[in-house]
Amino acid sequence: MLHSTTTTVLLIRIAISVQTPLRPRMSSDEDFSLVSEKGEESPVFAMEAAKMEIEKCKVTYDMMVTDQRDLTKARDEQLHLTEEYEKRIAKLGQTMEAEEQDRAQRVEDGKAKLAAAQEEERRLQELLLSMQAELRHLDQEAVHLRQQAQESSSMPEKKLVFHGVVREGGGLSRFQTRTRIIYPMEGGTALITFEDEAVAQNVVRVKQHEIKLGDCCISLEASPVLIWMPSQVEVTTGLCSRRVLVSDLPRGVEQSRLLDRLEIHFAKRRNLGGEVDGAEMLHDSGNAVLTFVEDTVAKGLTDRQYHEVDFGDGTRGRVKLSPFLSGEITDLQTRVSASARTVLLTGIPAIMDPSDLQDQLEIHFQKKGNGGGEVEAIAYNPLRRRALAVFEDDCPAEAE
């Protein structure tokens, strides 16, 4: 279209120039040219000028066509790039939207998992606290049961001294021991021992007791004291080859000095002794036990039996050395026994000084009007405390 329009304009200009007659035109310096009567240039020059103009327009046109082609190509390339970018932007938008949805879903899933984990942690924390509390309770119960098992229901390790005579013959020998049982007391309880068994049984029979303490009144529960008693014990005995029993020790000598002197005396070879591994006192008999490193020393000393020992400060004594009889409990049978004269009182609140409260309890149960009687002993253990009560036989039986 641009080429066609430009050609038409040039043709019109040429036609106009041809139709106009040319006449010569004089200049001031005597030069002249062919001009028309109206003062226009001659047709030859007009044609030349038109040709030059046409050539110039052709060049311009060609340049414009080239520019147009380049612009069209650049436009097409830009449109292609724009289309490509739009596709990439659309695809990127879809990807970003999908990623955003996926991220939102992951966030929601994470929140749900976090909430579930927090709930599980809370539940486990509660369970842990509950188990810790239960464990503490079980530990307390275990300690309580261990005390009962070790101190009440089983025969503890005890050193025994034989004072009888050896009797020939097979079979088992029977012996009786003085019972000494440790009874754990819980807090807020009391043990009261009456002189009369009937009074204790009556207090247990009533069970609930109302005790007036000034302007207030407390309610206690009485129950029998159940303890585990050994009913039959089998002991396997044998002579120890490294130990001797030292008896007939002098009185009035300090225990530590007495043991030192015994160890010094019987460590010497000239006194038929040897290296001493240890020396200890048997507090229930007042005798001592010497343990030697070598197995042959004990027999030589017990064969001689009596020995003269210097205990220092001019004190000398004649001691007796006997074979040391060691024993091991091979069978222990127990039975549950209720104390005949002792009653357990439970549910005692801490409302006054422990000594004053114990006195009030004793006063109440001494009165016959309250179903009580003469009180031989009473022991009160306040709340949040633990105590051990000792039960012993009143009259131990004679050994057979």
Side-chain angles (χ1 to χ4, degrees):
M1 292 298 293
L2 181 60
H3 173 72
S4 177
T5 303
T6 305
T7 305
T8 303
V9 173
L10 292 176
L11 290 176
I12 292 173
R13 289 183 61 186
I14 293 170
I16 294 173
S17 299
V18 171
Q19 292 177 3
T20 304
L22 299 176
R23 65 175 50 179
R25 183 177 57 184
M26 298 298 290
S27 62
S28 59
D29 55 359
E30 298 300 328
D31 291 332
F32 66 94
S33 62
L34 295 177
V35 296
S36 66
E37 295 180 354
K38 294 181 179 181
E40 295 181 352
E41 297 178 352
S42 82
V44 176
F45 290 104
M47 288 294 292
E48 292 295 330
K51 288 180 180 181
M52 293 176 64
E53 187 69 23
I54 290 171
E55 292 297 330
K56 188 186 294 184
C57 289
K58 285 183 178 180
V59 172
T60 302
Y61 171 76
D62 292 338
M63 293 176 62
M64 293 178 67
V65 169
T66 302
D67 291 342
Q68 184 181 15
R69 187 167 52 250
D70 294 341
L71 290 173
T72 301
K73 182 178 180 181
R75 182 199 63 186
D76 294 341
E77 291 177 351
Q78 292 297 325
L79 290 175
H80 179 71
L81 289 176
T82 302
E83 184 179 356
E84 291 294 327
Y85 279 123
E86 287 178 351
K87 290 181 180 179
R88 292 174 62 184
I89 290 173
K91 185 176 181 181
L92 182 60
Q94 294 176 356
T95 303
M96 292 178 63
E97 183 178 359
E99 290 180 352
E100 181 65 22
Q101 292 177 354
D102 184 62
R103 186 190 66 83
Q105 185 63 38
R106 289 200 304 269
V107 170
E108 292 299 325
D109 293 343
K111 289 181 179 179
K113 290 181 179 179
L114 178 60
Q118 290 176 344
E119 178 65 22
E120 182 67 12
E121 181 182 8
R122 184 190 63 78
R123 187 185 68 81
L124 291 176
Q125 189 69 21
E126 292 179 354
L127 181 61
L128 177 62
L129 294 176
S130 175
M131 293 181 67
Q132 288 177 345
E134 183 66 19
L135 183 60
R136 288 193 296 268
H137 176 70
L138 291 176
D139 287 341
Q140 294 176 355
E141 289 294 327
V143 172
H144 179 67
L145 293 175
R146 192 178 299 114
Q147 289 177 346
Q148 287 185 336
Q150 294 179 352
E151 299 172 352
S152 300
S153 63
S154 65
M155 177 68 72
E157 181 180 353
K158 185 176 181 62
K159 298 180 176 63
L160 303 177
V161 181
F162 180 70
H163 292 289
V165 296
V166 178
R167 183 175 60 188
E168 298 293 336
L172 296 176
S173 299
R174 294 181 178 272
F175 65 93
Q176 293 180 341
T177 61
R178 181 183 180 90
T179 305
R180 185 175 185 269
I181 296 177
I182 307 299
Y183 184 84
M185 292 181 62
E186 299 291 341
T189 63
L191 292 173
I192 182 169
T193 302
F194 297 95
E195 292 186 355
D196 189 356
E197 294 183 7
V199 175
Q201 300 305 318
N202 182 58
V203 171
V204 172
R205 191 180 306 109
V206 176
K207 194 172 184 178
Q208 297 293 334
H209 295 266
E210 299 289 335
I211 302 177
K212 189 174 182 180
L213 302 175
D215 297 332
C216 64
C217 185
I218 62 175
S219 178
L220 307 181
E221 181 176 338
S223 58
V225 179
L226 301 178
I227 54 180
W228 288 88
M229 298 283 293
S231 59
Q232 180 175 339
V233 181
E234 291 185 5
V235 181
T236 302
T237 60
L239 292 177
C240 182
S241 61
R242 296 175 53 235
R243 294 181 179 180
V244 295
L245 177 68
V246 185
S247 57
D248 296 345
L249 296 172
R251 298 182 182 275
V253 180
E254 186 181 357
Q255 176 179 316
S256 59
R257 183 158 63 91
L258 187 143
L259 292 176
D260 290 341
R261 288 293 177 175
L262 288 175
E263 185 173 351
I264 292 172
H265 180 86
F266 290 106
K268 297 177 180 179
R269 294 291 182 181
R270 67 171 179 265
N271 296 327
L272 302 180
E275 183 179 353
V276 178
D277 188 41
E280 58 180 325
M281 290 293 299
L282 299 178
H283 298 284
D284 55 353
S285 65
N287 298 330
V289 177
L290 294 177
T291 304
F292 296 94
V293 175
E294 300 176 4
D295 294 339
T296 58
V297 177
K299 187 177 185 308
L301 291 173
T302 55
D303 288 344
R304 182 174 172 179
Q305 197 171 19
Y306 290 99
H307 299 260
E308 193 78 19
V309 180
D310 182 8
F311 293 100
D313 296 335
T315 303
R316 296 184 64 85
R318 186 168 178 262
V319 298
K320 179 181 179 181
L321 271 64
S322 305
F324 185 83
L325 187 67
S326 60
E328 179 182 357
I329 297 176
T330 57
D331 183 34
L332 172 64
Q333 298 180 12
T334 59
R335 58 182 174 84
V336 179
S337 177
S339 178
R341 297 190 296 115
T342 302
V343 178
L344 174 64
L345 304 176
T346 57
I348 305 174
I351 59 175
M352 62 173 60
D353 182 75
S355 59
D356 294 337
L357 182 56
Q358 179 172 304
D359 292 341
Q360 293 295 326
L361 293 174
E362 185 174 0
I363 291 172
H364 175 85
F365 285 103
Q366 277 184 336
K367 297 179 180 179
K368 294 184 178 181
N370 297 327
E374 193 65 31
V375 176
E376 180 178 313
I378 184 172
Y380 166 59
N381 186 35
L383 287 172
R384 294 180 294 277
R385 296 184 185 178
R386 298 183 70 87
L388 297 175
V390 181
F391 287 84
E392 293 182 345
D393 287 341
D394 291 335
C395 299
E398 297 294 334
E400 296 181 357

